[in-house]
């Protein structure tokens, strides 16, 4: 017998490769000497593998073996056939789905089934089934439950057995209703399948397995067949594996079956599909379904093979860990009663040499530390490193961190289609449709990297940015017409007309449109916006295939959908599509999800994201069938997947070097370390200190630790005399005297703060609305009772949000009533409104003083009264007296200088009309900051304008015409605007002043 050849023996040939040996490399190391005799020897071998991912893993293992073993000539790879994985939505390879299986009906299209199940669910429950995305999510859950039952070989008639009906009858009402709904929908679907001559994909998969098993049992193939790494425990697959193991040239190789586990511990795992007594459920309540060996015990029981019949594989991979690791891993995952033996375990059976634990404070630090570990590992020639994590966010962060060193690491688990450029574009189009051209999704769509591609891209972006500026603030009206008005105002009307022509078909839809039409319209709009680039690249091709598949299924299913629901439906469907990168990443760096990591091996394996809810994931109970029913039917419970996650970790722990990493918190708050981590820490006991990884954390923190810099000085810009000589607005004087830096930033530098897109109505916006209402009322001749109607008209024109209107309207309406009564009473007494909302200016010492007056009245004695409207509290008399609220005085000076067209005379009244609550509880009141009567602050009436002029001259002398620095927060005790706090780096020096300013009262002029 050649060296390294496995002994031939009668009976089932089932082998196992321990975790510490490295499955793929050890398998290849044993297959090559056994089957590679002659040039075509290995090519005659057929490998049954669980998934397409493992085909890539095995190919890489054969390449590594070929490079490490001197050979003459090339190496022909064996035939690799995919058994298929339901979790990965994979189909069987052609060997198991041959032309000879034509007597097996074709499989129903899964996407069409999803849509038809929604139709049947609606017919069963009526309006109570929900609609749109909610209805389709429930249909998807029903389809998953059907597949789960079919994979376990459970026929629909089994759900109608007396035992199941008895269990359901004893359950809570919602379980009874859910089960009844499931059964009715399933029966409708079965009838439809029968009419079409189809069967479900899961059922067809079972029949193909049975077909292959029967064919091979009757006439075994002439070529050797090895099933490797297949751990799926469905009954039909187990029957096929049993046939393979019984063939003369067949064998089954299982990953990490613990054949040294004591028999009493093996029994403690539970029934695992083989109850001790007839009539007992296949899965008992006490079954240790979370143990990493449980699913392997289930598979062996369904194959009808005892654990004692399983042999050890006779080779190890080049990246094997110390043999002692196998025993420690077995002890680590002992079931509850057996784990009490940890107390008496000798140190050598608790020693995890080469395994380190790394606890970070947050996910960002964890990703940084993992990137450091990868970078260090690559310094060693030929050293391979792998990150395994079900947390795709953590994987993406590590990929980004590695790029700083020029290391391109591809996440082989892929990205969900909505997170790619092409997928995001399609979702933005659906969101624009659902939200009727709301500014946020619309602008995001127009500046998308694929929009306006080609030579027109620079001009396209320039136009989109102009429209972006025009749309800042509260949302305009619904639809494209209000956007067109904004676009013409921003001088991008021609460009917007092109965009509008693309989007218009999306806004001509009814409340119930065929899903097929919606997909066609979105695809046409995407192509019109981006050209053929939207369908190029891995993400574009995945999007094209997704759209085509869903469109065909929607056409066959006749699905109707409200366009407003399309965005949510599309996102749910696209989330189930992963876009995987092509080959070409770093050859020694791999980033895997749990499914992709199976059968792979590296010299250093980093297990990241080891927290509860991530690894293992939170078990999701079936929402349709009660757990007791599933147990009675022989379906593993929700905790079964925890055992699979434990097996994945046990396999990863077999690497020569392992780092177990987790963070103390995620983006939402503190988290709990994985139960697997807690087991490792508990078993290590007093050895824990020697297994802590701290150096990578130290280096990760050092990367972001910048040297200390001196505190930022308080800004005191000193522009030139020419730069200082700027116009001064009536509100700018207050800002200049209170905070010269803010005046400098706005008037000298010309900087303006921008509202957000679709922003909440600000105080300034409310002020503009209030001013607009009063202006229209005055210009209409001040009709009694007309303010309310005008207010409703203006709010409608401004598209005020319904919630904002509901909250603000009572206050606004009451204040308007107060204003109307005061104005009518003053008019009766001889005071008339001279003009409203007029702009004016004057020149003083060569500086233009300009502003806008809310209202100027002609009093009974012929003098002028200057009025300023406030939606909030007006400035106090003390602020006016100290020269920090001089707007009324400056407007009066401009009026006396003839700066307002048609207005002349002396000013004698200076009034704030506030819409805030007065002391007596009424809304709206009048306040004059004049020191007279019982008032203790303000400026005497006769001194009001001279004092204003004095303060104006002082400001001109110091800053506009002088040379004083524009010091930031010159008067920090004053409330001030915060538009430029970030620009002045306020937080870096304000604490040195001992105080911080609060926001200003609402000034709306």
């Amino acid at each position: 017998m050649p060296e390294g050849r496995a002994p031939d023996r009668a009976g089932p040939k089932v082998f196992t490769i321990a975790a510490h040996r490295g499955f793929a490399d050890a398998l290849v190391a044993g297959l090559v000497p056994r089957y590679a005799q002659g040039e075509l020897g290995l090519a005659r071998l057929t490998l049954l593998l669980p998934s397409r991912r493992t085909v890539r893993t095995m190919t890489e293992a054969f390449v590594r073996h070929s490079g490490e073993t001197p050979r003459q000539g090339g190496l022909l790879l064996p035939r690799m056939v995919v058994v298929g994985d339901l979790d990965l939505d994979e189909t069987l390879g052609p060997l198991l789905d041959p032309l000879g299986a034509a007597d097996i009906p074709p499989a129903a299209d899964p996407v069409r089934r999803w849509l038809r199940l929604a139709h049947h669910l609606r017919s069963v429950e009526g309006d109570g089934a929900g609609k749109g995305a909610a209805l389709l999510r429930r249909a998807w859950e029903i389809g998953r439950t059907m597949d789960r039952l079919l994979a376990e070989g459970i026929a629909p008639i089994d759900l109608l057995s007396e035992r199941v009906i008895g269990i359901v009858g004893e359950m809570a009402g919602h379980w009874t209703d859910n089960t009844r709904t499931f059964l009715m929908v399933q029966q409708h679907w079965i009838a439809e399948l029968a009419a079409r001559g189809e069967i479900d994909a899961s059922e067809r998969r079972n029949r193909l397995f049975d077909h292959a098993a029967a064919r091979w049992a009757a006439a075994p193939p002439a070529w050797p067949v090895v099933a490797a790494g297949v751990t799926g425990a469905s009954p039909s697959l187990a029957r096929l594996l049993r046939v393979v193991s019984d063939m003369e040239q067949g064998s089954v190789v299982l990953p990490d079956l613990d054949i040294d586990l004591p028999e009493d511990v093996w029994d403690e795992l539970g029934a695992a599909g083989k109850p001790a007594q007839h009539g007992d459920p296949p899965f008992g309540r006490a079954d240790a379904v979370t143990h990493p060996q449980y699913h392997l015990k289930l598979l062996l029981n369904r194959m009808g093979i005892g654990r004692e019949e399983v042999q050890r594989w006779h080779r190890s991979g080049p990246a094997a860990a110390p043999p002692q690791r196998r025993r420690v891993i077995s002890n680590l995952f002992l079931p509850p009663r057996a784990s009490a033996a940890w107390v008496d375990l000798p140190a050598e059976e608790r020693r995890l040499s080469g395994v380190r634990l790394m606890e970070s404070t947050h996910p960002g630090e964890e990703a940084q530390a993992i990137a450091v570990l990868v970078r260090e590992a690559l310094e060693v020639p030929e050293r391979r490193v792998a990150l395994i994590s079900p947390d795709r966010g953590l994987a993406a962060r590590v990929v980004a961190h590695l790029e700083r060193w020029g290391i391109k690491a591809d996440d082989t688990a892929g990205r969900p289609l909505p997170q790619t450029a092409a997928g995001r574009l399609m979702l933005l189009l659906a969101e624009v449709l659902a939200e009727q051209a709301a500014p946020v999704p619309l602008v995001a769509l127009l500046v998308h990297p694929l929009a306006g591609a080609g030579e027109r891209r620079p001009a396209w972006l320039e136009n989109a940015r102009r429209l972006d500026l025009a749309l800042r603030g509260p949302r305009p009206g619904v639809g494209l017409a209000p956007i067109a008005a904004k676009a013409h105002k921003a001088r991008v009307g021609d460009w917007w007309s092109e965009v509008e022509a693309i989007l218009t078909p999306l806004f001509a839809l009814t409340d119930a449109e065929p899903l097929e039409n919606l997909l066609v319209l979105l695809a046409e709009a995407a192509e019109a916006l981006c050209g053929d680039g939207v369908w190029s690249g891995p993400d574009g091709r995945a999007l094209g295939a997704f759209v085509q598949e869903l469109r065909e299924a929607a056409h066959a299913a006749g699905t109707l959908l409200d366009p407003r629901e399309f965005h949510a439906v599309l996102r749910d469907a696209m989330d189930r599509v992963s876009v995987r990168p092509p080959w070409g990443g770093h050859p020694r760096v791999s980033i895997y999800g749990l499914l992709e990591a199976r059968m792979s091996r590296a010299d250093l394996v980093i297990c990241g994201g080891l927290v509860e809810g991530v690894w293992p994931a939170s078990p999701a109970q079936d929402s349709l069938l009660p757990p007791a029913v599933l147990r009675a039917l022989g379906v593993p419970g929700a905790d079964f997947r925890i055992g699979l996650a434990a097996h994945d970790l046990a396999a990863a722990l077999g690497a020569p070097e392992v780092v177990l990493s987790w963070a103390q918190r995620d983006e939402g708050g503190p988290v709990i370390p994985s139960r697997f981590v807690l087991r490792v820490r508990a078993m290590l006991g007093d050895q824990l200190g020697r297994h802590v990884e701290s150096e990578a954390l130290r280096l990760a923190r050092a990367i972001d630790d910048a040297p200390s810099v001196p505190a930022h000085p308080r800004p005191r810009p000193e522009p030139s005399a020419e730069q200082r000589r700027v116009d001064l607005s009536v509100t700018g004087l207050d800002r200049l005297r209170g905070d010269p830096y803010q005046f400098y930033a706005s008037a000298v530098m010309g900087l303006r703060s921008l509202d957000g897109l679709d922003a909440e109505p600000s105080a300034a916006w409310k002020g503009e609305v209030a001013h607009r209402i009063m202006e229209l009322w005055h210009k209409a001749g001040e009709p009694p009772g007309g303010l309310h109607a005008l207010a409703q008209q203006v709010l409608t024109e401004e598209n005020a949000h319904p919630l904002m209107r509901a909250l603000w309207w009572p206050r606004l309406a009451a204040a308007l009533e107060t204003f109307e009564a005061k104005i009518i009473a003053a008019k009766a007494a001889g005071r008339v409104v001279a003009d409203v909302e007029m702009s004016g200016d004057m020149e003083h010492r060569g500086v233009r003083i300009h502003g806008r007056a809310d209202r100027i009245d002609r009093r009974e004695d012929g003098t002028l009264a200057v009025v300023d409207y406030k939606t909030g509290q007006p400035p106090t008399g003390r602020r006016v007296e100290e020269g920090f609220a001089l707007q009324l005085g400056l407007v009066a000076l401009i009026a006396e200088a003839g700066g307002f067209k048609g207005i002349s005379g002396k000013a004698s009244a200076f009034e704030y009309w506030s819409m805030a609550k007065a002391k007596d509880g009424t809304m709206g009141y009048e306040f004059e900051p004049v020191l007279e009567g019982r008032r203790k602050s303000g400026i005497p009436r006769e001194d009001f304008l001279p004092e204003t002029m004095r303060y104006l001259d002082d400001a001109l002398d110091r800053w506009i015409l002088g040379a004083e620095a524009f010091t930031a927060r010159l008067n920090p005790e004053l409330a001030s605007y915060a538009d430029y706090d970030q620009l002045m780096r306020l937080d870096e020096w304000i604490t040195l002043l001992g105080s911080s300013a609060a926001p200003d009262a609402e000034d709306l002029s």
Side-chain angles (χ1 to χ4, degrees):
M1 183 170 57
E3 181 184 356
R5 178 171 175 172
D8 294 314
R9 62 187 180 89
K13 294 177 282 300
V14 182
F15 302 90
T16 181
I17 299 177
H20 72 280
R21 289 188 168 188
F23 188 89
D25 291 316
L27 179 65
V28 170
L31 292 176
V32 171
R34 180 176 176 85
Y35 296 108
Q37 291 81 13
E39 294 182 354
L40 300 178
L42 197 60
R44 296 189 181 98
L45 170 66
T46 296
L47 280 179
L48 300 183
L49 299 174
S51 65
R52 288 190 296 267
R53 278 84 154 169
T54 52
V55 171
R56 175 173 175 173
T57 300
M58 289 302 302
T59 301
E60 292 172 345
F62 275 109
V63 171
R64 283 194 298 272
H65 182 85
S66 177
E68 294 165 0
T69 306
R71 298 180 57 85
Q72 297 294 329
L75 177 68
L76 293 178
L77 295 180
R79 181 184 189 184
M80 301 186 200
V81 178
V82 174
V83 173
D85 192 317
L86 288 176
D87 290 333
L88 300 176
D89 193 26
E90 290 183 346
T91 57
L92 305 184
L95 178 67
L96 299 176
D97 190 2
L99 295 176
D103 56 330
I104 300 177
D109 176 59
V111 181
R112 182 175 62 82
R113 183 187 73 164
W114 167 47
L115 300 176
R116 291 300 298 165
L117 287 177
H119 170 78
H120 294 313
L121 180 59
R122 186 67 182 269
S123 66
V124 168
E125 292 191 350
D127 293 338
K131 61 180 182 178
L135 176 65
L136 287 167
R137 289 188 193 112
R138 292 188 61 196
W140 180 261
E141 290 296 325
I142 290 175
R144 286 207 312 172
T145 302
M146 289 169 54
D147 284 340
R148 191 176 175 192
L149 296 177
L150 290 172
E152 293 296 324
I154 298 170
I157 192 64
D158 296 333
L159 290 169
L160 301 176
S161 65
E162 292 183 4
R163 181 175 57 176
V164 171
I165 293 175
I167 293 174
V168 173
E170 298 174 356
M171 306 299 290
H174 74 280
W175 283 122
T176 303
D177 295 340
N178 288 350
T179 304
R180 183 184 300 110
T181 297
F182 175 78
L183 288 172
M184 295 176 69
V185 172
Q186 187 183 44
Q187 292 305 313
H188 280 296
W189 173 242
I190 291 173
E192 182 174 332
L193 283 178
R196 296 178 62 91
E198 296 176 343
I199 57 176
D200 278 310
S202 300
E203 172 65 18
R204 188 168 192 274
R205 182 174 180 268
N206 292 343
R207 294 193 190 185
L208 286 170
F209 283 151
D210 290 337
H211 174 81
R215 183 160 49 92
W216 287 354
W223 59 84
V225 178
V226 176
V230 179
T231 58
S234 68
S236 57
L237 179 56
R239 290 191 291 268
L240 175 62
L241 294 181
R242 175 58 194 255
V243 170
V244 171
S245 69
D246 286 335
M247 292 191 310
E248 182 180 355
Q249 299 189 77
S251 57
V252 175
V253 185
L254 301 176
D256 192 27
L257 173 67
D258 191 351
I259 58 179
D260 292 328
L261 198 66
E263 194 63 31
D264 59 332
V265 178
W266 182 258
D267 292 339
E268 190 182 341
L269 297 183
K274 187 179 180 181
Q277 297 181 6
H278 179 71
D280 288 347
F283 301 97
R285 288 182 176 273
D287 279 15
V289 295
T290 61
H291 193 277
Q293 294 293 306
Y294 186 85
H295 69 291
L296 294 175
K297 182 176 182 180
L298 174 62
L299 176 60
L300 289 179
N301 285 343
R302 287 178 169 175
M303 290 175 64
I305 293 176
R307 185 173 57 127
E308 65 279 359
E309 298 180 79
V310 180
Q311 300 280 314
R312 285 192 178 90
W313 191 248
H314 48 287
R315 284 297 184 98
S316 293
Q324 298 84 357
R325 184 77 61 80
R326 173 183 57 82
R327 185 62 182 164
V328 178
I329 294 173
S330 177
N331 290 331
L332 175 64
F333 290 102
L334 288 174
R337 288 196 300 270
S339 60
W342 286 355
V343 178
D344 302 321
L345 282 179
E348 60 271 13
E349 293 192 18
R350 294 190 291 113
R351 185 176 297 119
L352 281 168
S353 56
V355 177
R356 293 168 282 164
L357 286 77
M358 186 172 71
E359 183 177 34
S360 311
T361 55
H362 54 82
E365 184 179 82
E366 182 184 10
Q368 185 83 274
I370 290 173
V372 169
L373 289 171
V374 174
R375 179 71 177 84
E376 286 183 335
L378 294 180
E379 291 295 311
V380 180
E382 300 183 5
R383 185 172 173 82
R384 292 181 292 129
V385 58
L387 166 64
I388 303 174
S389 177
D391 186 344
R392 297 300 90 208
L394 176 66
R397 286 184 174 186
V398 173
V399 169
H401 283 308
L402 289 174
E403 287 181 354
R404 73 170 56 173
W405 295 303
I407 300 172
K408 182 172 178 56
D410 292 329
D411 182 1
T412 56
R415 287 189 298 163
L417 184 55
Q419 296 181 16
T420 64
R424 181 63 185 150
L425 177 83
M426 186 68 74
L427 280 178
L428 283 171
L429 276 166
E431 194 172 351
V432 168
L433 169 61
E435 298 193 21
Q436 292 294 291
V440 172
L442 177 64
V443 172
L445 172 68
L446 296 177
V447 300
H448 188 278
L450 297 178
E455 296 180 355
R456 61 174 181 165
R457 176 72 175 171
W460 179 282
L461 282 181
E462 182 64 28
N463 290 324
R465 288 163 183 159
R466 289 182 183 177
L467 181 63
D468 178 5
L469 292 175
L471 293 176
R472 295 281 169 160
R475 180 183 299 192
V478 174
L480 299 176
I483 307 293
K486 295 276 188 180
H488 285 289
K489 189 175 180 180
R491 299 180 181 179
V492 292
D494 293 340
W495 168 79
W496 172 252
S497 297
E498 175 187 351
V499 176
E500 189 174 21
I502 296 173
L503 299 180
T504 295
L506 301 178
F507 291 82
L509 300 173
T510 62
D511 291 343
E513 285 286 331
L515 177 56
E516 177 190 13
N517 292 354
L518 291 174
L519 285 165
V520 170
L521 287 174
L522 245 65
E524 290 175 349
E527 192 164 340
L529 281 172
C530 311
D532 294 338
V534 70
W535 312 118
S536 63
D539 57 336
R541 290 189 290 272
L543 177 63
F546 166 81
V547 170
Q548 181 66 16
E549 182 181 36
L550 184 56
R551 188 185 67 79
E552 292 176 355
H555 174 74
T559 303
L560 299 178
L561 190 66
D562 188 333
R564 292 168 294 185
E565 293 275 348
F566 188 36
H567 172 259
V569 171
L570 198 61
R571 173 175 286 280
D572 287 347
M574 291 172 69
D575 274 334
R576 297 190 281 267
V577 178
S578 290
V579 180
R580 290 176 173 81
W583 294 70
H586 196 287
R588 293 192 287 132
V589 179
S590 301
I591 298 181
Y592 299 120
L594 296 187
L595 295 173
E596 289 74 22
R598 292 172 184 171
M599 296 176 58
S600 65
R601 177 49 52 90
D603 301 289
L604 169 64
V605 172
I606 304 167
C607 301
L610 279 163
V611 297
E612 284 295 307
V614 177
W615 191 349
S618 300
Q621 296 288 344
D622 194 297
S623 60
L624 299 169
L625 299 180
V629 169
L630 294 175
R631 277 198 305 272
L633 291 171
V635 179
D639 289 346
F640 184 74
R641 295 193 176 278
I642 296 179
L644 297 178
H647 190 265
D648 292 330
L649 181 63
L653 284 170
E657 288 190 44
V658 182
V659 175
L660 305 181
S661 173
W662 71 97
Q664 296 172 346
R665 59 174 295 120
D666 60 12
E667 287 77 3
V671 294
I672 301 173
S674 169
R675 65 191 70 186
F676 306 143
V677 169
L678 298 179
R679 274 183 164 267
V680 171
R681 293 166 67 171
M683 195 185 72
L684 288 175
D686 55 1
Q687 303 180 34
L688 180 61
R690 290 181 289 175
H691 293 268
V692 174
E693 172 58 56
S694 57
E695 180 63 14
L697 286 172
R698 185 189 69 80
L699 293 174
R701 291 164 183 161
I703 289 176
D704 294 329
D705 282 346
S708 299
V709 297
H712 189 270
R714 186 180 187 179
R716 291 181 175 85
E718 298 181 4
S720 66
E722 183 180 357
Q723 291 171 325
R724 290 169 177 269
R725 201 173 185 88
V726 294
D727 296 344
L728 184 65
S729 69
V730 294
T731 56
L733 178 61
D734 300 339
R735 182 170 293 193
L736 176 59
R737 288 183 48 78
D739 189 349
Y741 184 88
Q742 293 208 36
F743 177 86
Y744 164 79
S746 62
V748 178
M749 297 183 68
L751 301 177
R752 298 287 184 273
S753 62
L754 294 177
D755 291 332
L757 284 169
D758 213 348
E760 292 293 329
S762 63
W765 184 88
K766 292 180 181 179
E768 291 174 2
V769 168
H771 284 85
R772 178 68 175 157
I773 294 169
M774 296 303 299
E775 178 186 6
L776 291 175
W777 184 67
H778 286 303
K779 290 183 176 179
E782 301 162 2
L787 263 177
H788 276 199
L790 280 172
Q792 293 287 2
Q793 173 189 333
V794 171
L795 288 174
T796 301
E797 292 173 353
E798 296 292 334
N799 193 39
H801 192 278
L803 178 61
M804 191 281 298
R805 293 180 67 162
L807 297 176
W808 189 41
W809 174 251
R811 170 182 166 183
L812 176 64
L816 291 176
E817 288 179 2
T818 302
F819 285 7
E820 183 177 11
K822 285 180 174 292
I823 292 171
I824 291 176
K827 187 176 182 180
R831 174 170 165 171
V832 297
V833 176
D835 207 347
V836 294
E837 299 297 332
M838 61 284 195
S839 298
D841 61 1
M842 70 175 185
E843 188 168 319
H844 179 65
R845 299 175 60 184
V847 177
R848 177 174 172 262
I849 313 298
H850 63 93
R852 187 176 183 86
D854 293 349
R855 196 178 97 215
I856 296 180
D857 292 354
R858 180 75 63 183
R859 302 183 70 190
E860 302 86 339
D861 58 1
T863 60
L864 303 177
V866 179
V867 178
D868 187 65
Y869 294 125
K870 298 288 183 185
T871 59
Q873 297 290 344
T876 64
R878 176 68 63 186
R879 286 282 302 275
V880 175
E881 180 183 345
E882 293 174 348
F884 297 115
L886 302 171
Q887 178 181 355
L888 289 174
L890 284 179
V891 171
L893 287 174
I894 294 174
E896 289 190 352
F900 294 109
K901 186 176 181 180
I903 303 293
S904 62
K906 295 292 184 180
S908 61
F910 316 95
E911 301 169 357
Y912 287 113
W913 286 37
S914 172
M915 294 184 179
K917 183 181 291 186
K919 292 182 179 179
D920 60 1
T922 60
M923 298 302 300
Y925 65 94
E926 175 187 341
F927 170 70
E928 197 171 15
V930 174
L931 183 62
E932 60 185 14
R934 302 178 61 181
R935 289 205 179 110
K936 297 181 179 180
S937 63
I939 301 176
R941 192 176 301 276
E942 64 275 9
D943 296 335
F944 202 91
L945 294 185
E947 278 294 288
T948 300
M949 183 63 75
R950 183 175 69 83
Y951 283 126
L952 172 61
D953 286 333
D954 176 69
L956 295 178
D957 290 338
R958 294 169 64 183
W959 290 290
I960 306 299
L961 304 176
E964 186 168 327
F966 289 84
T967 304
R969 291 293 170 94
L970 182 62
N971 301 282
E973 71 283 354
L974 286 176
S976 180
Y977 295 97
D979 295 345
Y980 304 98
D981 285 356
Q982 184 179 14
L983 183 65
M984 67 174 68
R985 298 171 69 170
L986 179 70
D987 292 340
E988 299 184 36
W989 54 266
I990 190 62
T991 54
L992 302 177
L993 302 181
S995 64
S996 180
D1000 191 12
E1002 301 175 58
D1003 188 340
L1004 307 164
S1005 300

